[in-house]
Amino acid sequence: KRVIEQANLALLEATETGAFTTCVYATVDIVTGEVRWLNMGHPAPFLLHAPDPARDGGSPGNFVEAEGPRNRPLGWDENPGLNQTTATLAPGDRLILFTDGFLEAKSPEGEVFGEHRLEASLLELASLPSDDLAGHVVEDVERFAAGQLDDDLTMLVIEFEGAAAPGSDDLPPATRVGAAPEAE
């Protein structure tokens, strides 16, 4: 939280009134799978669950919002809010962070891609490896917008592979990160 507070103060001092910066500041515990983040003006991340027959028809994925009021972008206000979200990833789960360009992309008819299409795309492409997932979602959005994008499409996919077996001398496997090349 201290990093976000300091960044907010620096931006308030260095930028003109009305200027702001969005960010997500996150930490991932690669042993337990616990992820904590402060979302400062970005869309809510999407949690894509690993396939699990024991889930009994539970949702394979969902947007994850913080409890309470939403935090504001940095540099906008002296008190942007510091509501933290925590989620625990199971092995194979993926947390997907993305910019608003995915939600705001418009079709030639003026219809926005929106959360419902992004969710459908992520669920349809869920079987892809993390390294490929983001790029294919970008392709879906570009196809929807007929190649006419007004904003960037930036996505980060964080996959938790699980901790090392108890008693093992092995380090936990690294959490895999897949990212789409930034599309404009």
Side-chain angles (χ1 to χ4, degrees), residues 114-134:
E115 283 188 353
H116 64 290
R117 284 189 181 88
L118 180 58
E119 179 177 10
S121 179
L122 289 167
L123 295 176
E124 180 181 322
L125 299 168
S127 63
L128 293 176
S130 292
D131 294 345
D132 298 331
L133 179 65

PDB file of all heavy atoms in Angstrom, residues 114-134:
ATOM      1  N   GLY A 114     -17.256  -5.432 -24.512  1.00  0.00           N
ATOM      2  CA  GLY A 114     -17.842  -5.594 -23.185  1.00  0.00           C
ATOM      3  C   GLY A 114     -17.362  -6.809 -22.409  1.00  0.00           C
ATOM      4  O   GLY A 114     -16.674  -7.687 -22.929  1.00  0.00           O
ATOM      5  N   GLU A 115     -17.747  -6.822 -21.135  1.00  0.00           N
ATOM      6  CA  GLU A 115     -17.372  -7.926 -20.241  1.00  0.00           C
ATOM      7  C   GLU A 115     -17.941  -9.253 -20.708  1.00  0.00           C
ATOM      8  O   GLU A 115     -17.275 -10.284 -20.615  1.00  0.00           O
ATOM      9  CB  GLU A 115     -17.835  -7.652 -18.805  1.00  0.00           C
ATOM     10  CG  GLU A 115     -16.987  -6.684 -18.051  1.00  0.00           C
ATOM     11  CD  GLU A 115     -17.366  -6.583 -16.585  1.00  0.00           C
ATOM     12  OE1 GLU A 115     -18.382  -7.176 -16.154  1.00  0.00           O
ATOM     13  OE2 GLU A 115     -16.629  -5.894 -15.850  1.00  0.00           O
ATOM     14  N   HIS A 116     -19.179  -9.263 -21.201  1.00  0.00           N
ATOM     15  CA  HIS A 116     -19.807 -10.537 -21.573  1.00  0.00           C
ATOM     16  C   HIS A 116     -19.073 -11.215 -22.725  1.00  0.00           C
ATOM     17  O   HIS A 116     -18.887 -12.431 -22.715  1.00  0.00           O
ATOM     18  CB  HIS A 116     -21.294 -10.330 -21.887  1.00  0.00           C
ATOM     19  CG  HIS A 116     -21.573  -9.461 -23.075  1.00  0.00           C
ATOM     20  ND1 HIS A 116     -21.336  -8.101 -23.094  1.00  0.00           N
ATOM     21  CD2 HIS A 116     -22.054  -9.768 -24.308  1.00  0.00           C
ATOM     22  CE1 HIS A 116     -21.660  -7.604 -24.255  1.00  0.00           C
ATOM     23  NE2 HIS A 116     -22.100  -8.593 -25.028  1.00  0.00           N
ATOM     24  N   ARG A 117     -18.606 -10.449 -23.711  1.00  0.00           N
ATOM     25  CA  ARG A 117     -17.864 -11.053 -24.820  1.00  0.00           C
ATOM     26  C   ARG A 117     -16.452 -11.449 -24.380  1.00  0.00           C
ATOM     27  O   ARG A 117     -15.925 -12.463 -24.826  1.00  0.00           O
ATOM     28  CB  ARG A 117     -17.810 -10.102 -26.009  1.00  0.00           C
ATOM     29  CG  ARG A 117     -19.110 -10.024 -26.770  1.00  0.00           C
ATOM     30  CD  ARG A 117     -18.960  -9.242 -28.065  1.00  0.00           C
ATOM     31  NE  ARG A 117     -20.220  -9.150 -28.758  1.00  0.00           N
ATOM     32  CZ  ARG A 117     -21.120  -8.194 -28.552  1.00  0.00           C
ATOM     33  NH1 ARG A 117     -20.889  -7.221 -27.694  1.00  0.00           N
ATOM     34  NH2 ARG A 117     -22.256  -8.207 -29.220  1.00  0.00           N
ATOM     35  N   LEU A 118     -15.836 -10.617 -23.531  1.00  0.00           N
ATOM     36  CA  LEU A 118     -14.505 -10.976 -23.036  1.00  0.00           C
ATOM     37  C   LEU A 118     -14.582 -12.273 -22.239  1.00  0.00           C
ATOM     38  O   LEU A 118     -13.767 -13.180 -22.435  1.00  0.00           O
ATOM     39  CB  LEU A 118     -13.912  -9.856 -22.180  1.00  0.00           C
ATOM     40  CG  LEU A 118     -12.528 -10.144 -21.614  1.00  0.00           C
ATOM     41  CD1 LEU A 118     -11.511 -10.431 -22.719  1.00  0.00           C
ATOM     42  CD2 LEU A 118     -12.063  -8.981 -20.749  1.00  0.00           C
ATOM     43  N   GLU A 119     -15.560 -12.387 -21.360  1.00  0.00           N
ATOM     44  CA  GLU A 119     -15.732 -13.619 -20.589  1.00  0.00           C
ATOM     45  C   GLU A 119     -15.953 -14.809 -21.510  1.00  0.00           C
ATOM     46  O   GLU A 119     -15.327 -15.861 -21.347  1.00  0.00           O
ATOM     47  CB  GLU A 119     -16.904 -13.483 -19.614  1.00  0.00           C
ATOM     48  CG  GLU A 119     -17.152 -14.736 -18.805  1.00  0.00           C
ATOM     49  CD  GLU A 119     -18.262 -14.579 -17.777  1.00  0.00           C
ATOM     50  OE1 GLU A 119     -18.978 -13.562 -17.800  1.00  0.00           O
ATOM     51  OE2 GLU A 119     -18.406 -15.499 -16.948  1.00  0.00           O
ATOM     52  N   ALA A 120     -16.814 -14.662 -22.503  1.00  0.00           N
ATOM     53  CA  ALA A 120     -17.079 -15.759 -23.442  1.00  0.00           C
ATOM     54  C   ALA A 120     -15.806 -16.159 -24.182  1.00  0.00           C
ATOM     55  O   ALA A 120     -15.530 -17.354 -24.356  1.00  0.00           O
ATOM     56  CB  ALA A 120     -18.173 -15.353 -24.425  1.00  0.00           C
ATOM     57  N   SER A 121     -15.023 -15.179 -24.608  1.00  0.00           N
ATOM     58  CA  SER A 121     -13.777 -15.464 -25.318  1.00  0.00           C
ATOM     59  C   SER A 121     -12.802 -16.210 -24.412  1.00  0.00           C
ATOM     60  O   SER A 121     -12.197 -17.212 -24.821  1.00  0.00           O
ATOM     61  CB  SER A 121     -13.151 -14.163 -25.825  1.00  0.00           C
ATOM     62  OG  SER A 121     -11.939 -14.409 -26.487  1.00  0.00           O
ATOM     63  N   LEU A 122     -12.632 -15.730 -23.186  1.00  0.00           N
ATOM     64  CA  LEU A 122     -11.707 -16.378 -22.255  1.00  0.00           C
ATOM     65  C   LEU A 122     -12.129 -17.811 -21.955  1.00  0.00           C
ATOM     66  O   LEU A 122     -11.290 -18.721 -21.911  1.00  0.00           O
ATOM     67  CB  LEU A 122     -11.600 -15.570 -20.958  1.00  0.00           C
ATOM     68  CG  LEU A 122     -10.854 -14.249 -21.078  1.00  0.00           C
ATOM     69  CD1 LEU A 122     -11.074 -13.383 -19.837  1.00  0.00           C
ATOM     70  CD2 LEU A 122      -9.364 -14.497 -21.298  1.00  0.00           C
ATOM     71  N   LEU A 123     -13.423 -18.025 -21.766  1.00  0.00           N
ATOM     72  CA  LEU A 123     -13.900 -19.376 -21.462  1.00  0.00           C
ATOM     73  C   LEU A 123     -13.758 -20.295 -22.673  1.00  0.00           C
ATOM     74  O   LEU A 123     -13.389 -21.457 -22.538  1.00  0.00           O
ATOM     75  CB  LEU A 123     -15.346 -19.332 -20.965  1.00  0.00           C
ATOM     76  CG  LEU A 123     -15.559 -18.615 -19.631  1.00  0.00           C
ATOM     77  CD1 LEU A 123     -17.038 -18.549 -19.287  1.00  0.00           C
ATOM     78  CD2 LEU A 123     -14.758 -19.263 -18.509  1.00  0.00           C
ATOM     79  N   GLU A 124     -14.032 -19.765 -23.858  1.00  0.00           N
ATOM     80  CA  GLU A 124     -13.904 -20.568 -25.077  1.00  0.00           C
ATOM     81  C   GLU A 124     -12.450 -20.959 -25.335  1.00  0.00           C
ATOM     82  O   GLU A 124     -12.166 -22.048 -25.824  1.00  0.00           O
ATOM     83  CB  GLU A 124     -14.446 -19.782 -26.274  1.00  0.00           C
ATOM     84  CG  GLU A 124     -14.357 -20.531 -27.584  1.00  0.00           C
ATOM     85  CD  GLU A 124     -14.884 -19.702 -28.742  1.00  0.00           C
ATOM     86  OE1 GLU A 124     -15.881 -18.979 -28.559  1.00  0.00           O
ATOM     87  OE2 GLU A 124     -14.287 -19.787 -29.829  1.00  0.00           O
ATOM     88  N   LEU A 125     -11.521 -20.062 -24.990  1.00  0.00           N
ATOM     89  CA  LEU A 125     -10.099 -20.296 -25.264  1.00  0.00           C
ATOM     90  C   LEU A 125      -9.347 -20.865 -24.059  1.00  0.00           C
ATOM     91  O   LEU A 125      -8.128 -21.008 -24.097  1.00  0.00           O
ATOM     92  CB  LEU A 125      -9.445 -18.978 -25.705  1.00  0.00           C
ATOM     93  CG  LEU A 125     -10.015 -18.359 -26.984  1.00  0.00           C
ATOM     94  CD1 LEU A 125      -9.520 -16.939 -27.166  1.00  0.00           C
ATOM     95  CD2 LEU A 125      -9.670 -19.235 -28.189  1.00  0.00           C
ATOM     96  N   ALA A 126     -10.054 -21.217 -23.009  1.00  0.00           N
ATOM     97  CA  ALA A 126      -9.437 -21.639 -21.746  1.00  0.00           C
ATOM     98  C   ALA A 126      -8.508 -22.837 -21.878  1.00  0.00           C
ATOM     99  O   ALA A 126      -7.581 -22.994 -21.081  1.00  0.00           O
ATOM    100  CB  ALA A 126     -10.513 -21.933 -20.703  1.00  0.00           C
ATOM    101  N   SER A 127      -8.718 -23.666 -22.871  1.00  0.00           N
ATOM    102  CA  SER A 127      -7.869 -24.858 -23.013  1.00  0.00           C
ATOM    103  C   SER A 127      -6.490 -24.523 -23.589  1.00  0.00           C
ATOM    104  O   SER A 127      -5.594 -25.363 -23.562  1.00  0.00           O
ATOM    105  CB  SER A 127      -8.559 -25.898 -23.893  1.00  0.00           C
ATOM    106  OG  SER A 127      -8.735 -25.385 -25.207  1.00  0.00           O
ATOM    107  N   LEU A 128      -6.314 -23.315 -24.089  1.00  0.00           N
ATOM    108  CA  LEU A 128      -5.012 -22.925 -24.643  1.00  0.00           C
ATOM    109  C   LEU A 128      -3.988 -22.718 -23.538  1.00  0.00           C
ATOM    110  O   LEU A 128      -4.341 -22.294 -22.431  1.00  0.00           O
ATOM    111  CB  LEU A 128      -5.139 -21.622 -25.437  1.00  0.00           C
ATOM    112  CG  LEU A 128      -5.949 -21.667 -26.723  1.00  0.00           C
ATOM    113  CD1 LEU A 128      -6.059 -20.269 -27.317  1.00  0.00           C
ATOM    114  CD2 LEU A 128      -5.318 -22.627 -27.720  1.00  0.00           C
ATOM    115  N   PRO A 129      -2.719 -22.939 -23.833  1.00  0.00           N
ATOM    116  CA  PRO A 129      -1.677 -22.619 -22.848  1.00  0.00           C
ATOM    117  C   PRO A 129      -1.658 -21.112 -22.586  1.00  0.00           C
ATOM    118  O   PRO A 129      -2.028 -20.308 -23.456  1.00  0.00           O
ATOM    119  CB  PRO A 129      -0.374 -23.058 -23.519  1.00  0.00           C
ATOM    120  CG  PRO A 129      -0.743 -23.749 -24.781  1.00  0.00           C
ATOM    121  CD  PRO A 129      -2.187 -23.499 -25.062  1.00  0.00           C
ATOM    122  N   SER A 130      -1.205 -20.727 -21.406  1.00  0.00           N
ATOM    123  CA  SER A 130      -1.160 -19.310 -21.034  1.00  0.00           C
ATOM    124  C   SER A 130      -0.382 -18.485 -22.045  1.00  0.00           C
ATOM    125  O   SER A 130      -0.735 -17.332 -22.321  1.00  0.00           O
ATOM    126  CB  SER A 130      -0.550 -19.146 -19.640  1.00  0.00           C
ATOM    127  OG  SER A 130      -1.422 -19.679 -18.679  1.00  0.00           O
ATOM    128  N   ASP A 131       0.689 -19.065 -22.598  1.00  0.00           N
ATOM    129  CA  ASP A 131       1.506 -18.332 -23.570  1.00  0.00           C
ATOM    130  C   ASP A 131       0.709 -17.935 -24.809  1.00  0.00           C
ATOM    131  O   ASP A 131       1.056 -16.968 -25.487  1.00  0.00           O
ATOM    132  CB  ASP A 131       2.706 -19.174 -24.013  1.00  0.00           C
ATOM    133  CG  ASP A 131       3.694 -19.436 -22.895  1.00  0.00           C
ATOM    134  OD1 ASP A 131       3.615 -18.749 -21.855  1.00  0.00           O
ATOM    135  OD2 ASP A 131       4.544 -20.320 -23.050  1.00  0.00           O
ATOM    136  N   ASP A 132      -0.347 -18.668 -25.137  1.00  0.00           N
ATOM    137  CA  ASP A 132      -1.134 -18.425 -26.346  1.00  0.00           C
ATOM    138  C   ASP A 132      -2.467 -17.725 -26.076  1.00  0.00           C
ATOM    139  O   ASP A 132      -3.033 -17.111 -26.976  1.00  0.00           O
ATOM    140  CB  ASP A 132      -1.431 -19.745 -27.060  1.00  0.00           C
ATOM    141  CG  ASP A 132      -0.173 -20.459 -27.513  1.00  0.00           C
ATOM    142  OD1 ASP A 132       0.839 -19.770 -27.786  1.00  0.00           O
ATOM    143  OD2 ASP A 132      -0.198 -21.706 -27.598  1.00  0.00           O
ATOM    144  N   LEU A 133      -2.972 -17.848 -24.869  1.00  0.00           N
ATOM    145  CA  LEU A 133      -4.312 -17.359 -24.546  1.00  0.00           C
ATOM    146  C   LEU A 133      -4.489 -15.877 -24.874  1.00  0.00           C
ATOM    147  O   LEU A 133      -5.423 -15.490 -25.583  1.00  0.00           O
ATOM    148  CB  LEU A 133      -4.623 -17.614 -23.065  1.00  0.00           C
ATOM    149  CG  LEU A 133      -5.982 -17.126 -22.580  1.00  0.00           C
ATOM    150  CD1 LEU A 133      -7.106 -17.894 -23.254  1.00  0.00           C
ATOM    151  CD2 LEU A 133      -6.075 -17.290 -21.059  1.00  0.00           C
ATOM    152  N   ALA A 134      -3.606 -15.033 -24.371  1.00  0.00           N
ATOM    153  CA  ALA A 134      -3.758 -13.587 -24.560  1.00  0.00           C
ATOM    154  C   ALA A 134      -3.765 -13.214 -26.042  1.00  0.00           C
ATOM    155  O   ALA A 134      -4.604 -12.411 -26.481  1.00  0.00           O
ATOM    156  CB  ALA A 134      -2.651 -12.840 -23.818  1.00  0.00           C
TER     157      ALA A 134
END
